[in-house]
Amino acid sequence: MEQEKSCGAVVFRVGNGTRYLLLHYEAGHWDFVKGHVEKEESEEETVRREIREETGLSNTRFLPDFRERIGYFYRRRGRTVSKEVIFYLVEASEEEAVRISGEHVGYEWLPYKQALERLTYKNAKETLRKAENHLQHAESVATGATLDSFQSRQEAK
């Protein structure tokens, strides 16, 4: 069985709320930035290259401790291919404009719930859920908030 490996990113930006970048592929589906790992290229190098090639974005920052793997099978020229895709969580600059590549027909920056509805594939939706949870956890850690302290504040109101 043939095997492939790709890497991609759940790209987001923070400004007027958190928004996720979804790409509309020529085949009709909505998904994240992703592409094949080239020879002697690290996963992060692949992600940076794919983000640049597919969106024109270069001012990005990887969030630590987020690396999600999905796997699936598909058919190519009558053969089954096992595909592994590794996703990272990447923040884009609020000011930088998107310039999509020829392999896409559109893009949108969407809030979480709308992005979840727009994504085509179940595994992409699950990756987005994990990314959103990671961001929520990172935000609560950064602000020093915990569920207990949040509940205490709510009870005091």
Side-chain angles (χ1 to χ4, degrees):
M1 179 183 324
E2 291 184 53
Q3 295 188 354
E4 285 184 3
K5 181 177 181 181
S6 290
C7 291
V10 177
V11 178
F12 73 98
R13 60 170 47 154
V14 178
N16 188 13
T18 301
R19 298 196 180 270
Y20 295 94
L21 178 62
L22 302 185
L23 300 177
H24 194 191
Y25 284 76
E26 284 184 309
H29 64 283
W30 288 85
D31 207 349
F32 303 115
V33 170
K34 68 176 181 277
H36 291 94
V37 177
E38 293 183 358
K39 190 175 183 177
E40 298 189 31
E41 188 176 54
S42 73
E43 290 178 358
E44 285 193 17
E45 288 169 335
T46 299
V47 172
R48 287 185 195 286
R49 177 181 51 76
E50 289 294 334
I51 290 172
R52 262 191 328 277
E53 289 176 1
E54 294 187 7
T55 71
L57 299 173
S58 59
N59 189 8
T60 58
R61 177 179 72 92
F62 281 70
L63 265 67
D65 303 324
F66 187 91
R67 181 182 182 275
E68 287 299 319
R69 180 203 173 277
I70 64 168
Y72 57 91
F73 299 92
Y74 73 95
R75 306 270 303 163
R76 180 175 56 215
R77 294 186 296 273
R79 294 181 174 210
T80 301
V81 178
S82 172
K83 180 137 185 179
E84 172 187 50
V85 185
I86 308 297
F87 285 100
Y88 287 87
L89 186 54
V90 177
E91 183 176 13
S93 166
E94 179 66 23
E95 295 81 31
E96 197 169 14
V98 173
R99 294 178 316 279
I100 57 171
S101 70
E103 66 186 282
H104 305 101
V105 294
Y107 74 93
E108 286 193 81
W109 288 103
L110 296 171
Y112 171 69
K113 287 183 180 179
Q114 288 177 308
L116 196 60
E117 291 172 6
R118 181 64 50 91
L119 285 166
T120 304
Y121 300 116
K122 183 179 178 181
N123 55 15
K125 291 175 190 259
E126 186 58 30
T127 300
L128 179 60
R129 283 186 191 98
K130 289 177 180 180
E132 174 72 4
N133 288 338
H134 187 84
L135 285 175
Q136 294 298 323
H137 177 73
E139 183 178 308
S140 68
V141 168
T143 61
T146 65
L147 182 57
D148 291 338
S149 66
F150 176 75
Q151 288 172 337
S152 297
R153 287 194 307 269
Q154 294 302 320
E155 291 167 1
K157 287 184 179 179

